[in-house]
Amino acid sequence: DHAAIVWLNRTVNGSPVILEAPGDRYAAYTYSGRVSAQTGLPTLLGWGGHQLQWRGDYDEPSRREPDIEKLYSTTDRNETLTLLDKYDISYVYVGPLEQERYPANGLAKFGEFMEVVYTNPRVTIYHR
């Protein structure tokens, strides 16, 4: 992740939305939200527990969590494109955490309609 995050910090301008795996709502000290935290790029959901603490409810994270799951898991191109548009996502991050959590065929679909802008042995970043 380190090399990919360095690349993002050097290359990406502005504040495009990046998709990354969110943290588990109940696990405070995990390696989630690492890309947005270390680049300042907005993401759909870092750690939902923070949202609960700061907002006092879990309404928005509870809407986003299933969409993030669909984005990474579905093989349906149209469903993916609809959700990418809904959240104005420009970059999709697929690193060790995403590979551990989501099915390989769901992750592979991004290469069918997005440009690979960064890759190393453990991380691929897609752009649209």
Side-chain angles (χ1 to χ4, degrees):
D1 284 328
H2 176 73
I5 289 168
V6 168
W7 180 86
L8 284 165
N9 281 326
R10 290 183 180 161
T11 307
V12 175
N13 295 314
S15 297
V17 177
I18 189 164
L19 176 66
E20 66 178 309
D24 181 308
R25 160 183 3 181
Y26 302 106
Y29 299 103
T30 62
Y31 190 51
S32 55
R34 77 253 188 234
V35 179
S36 59
Q38 294 181 48
T39 63
L41 295 174
T43 192
L44 271 64
L45 183 62
W47 177 52
H50 275 165
Q51 296 300 313
L52 177 61
Q53 290 172 343
W54 290 100
R55 293 178 188 263
D57 63 51
Y58 207 74
D59 296 346
E60 188 60 29
S62 70
R63 285 190 284 274
R64 291 181 181 212
E65 282 177 339
D67 286 346
I68 295 167
E69 183 74 26
K70 284 180 198 170
L71 278 161
Y72 277 120
S73 298
T74 187
T75 56
D76 183 320
R77 178 184 177 143
N78 290 331
E79 182 176 38
T80 303
L81 290 170
T82 298
L83 288 170
L84 290 172
D85 288 342
K86 177 181 178 178
Y87 293 105
D88 195 26
I89 296 168
S90 298
Y91 290 91
V92 174
Y93 191 94
V94 178
L97 182 61
E98 290 75 19
Q99 292 165 22
E100 177 183 307
R101 190 178 292 178
Y102 303 108
N105 60 346
L107 299 176
K109 71 164 173 298
F110 295 112
E112 298 172 11
F113 55 88
M114 295 180 79
E115 177 186 5
V116 174
V117 292
Y118 176 87
T119 188
N120 73 35
R122 297 289 312 266
V123 176
T124 301
I125 301 173
Y126 300 93
H127 181 258
R128 69 183 198 119

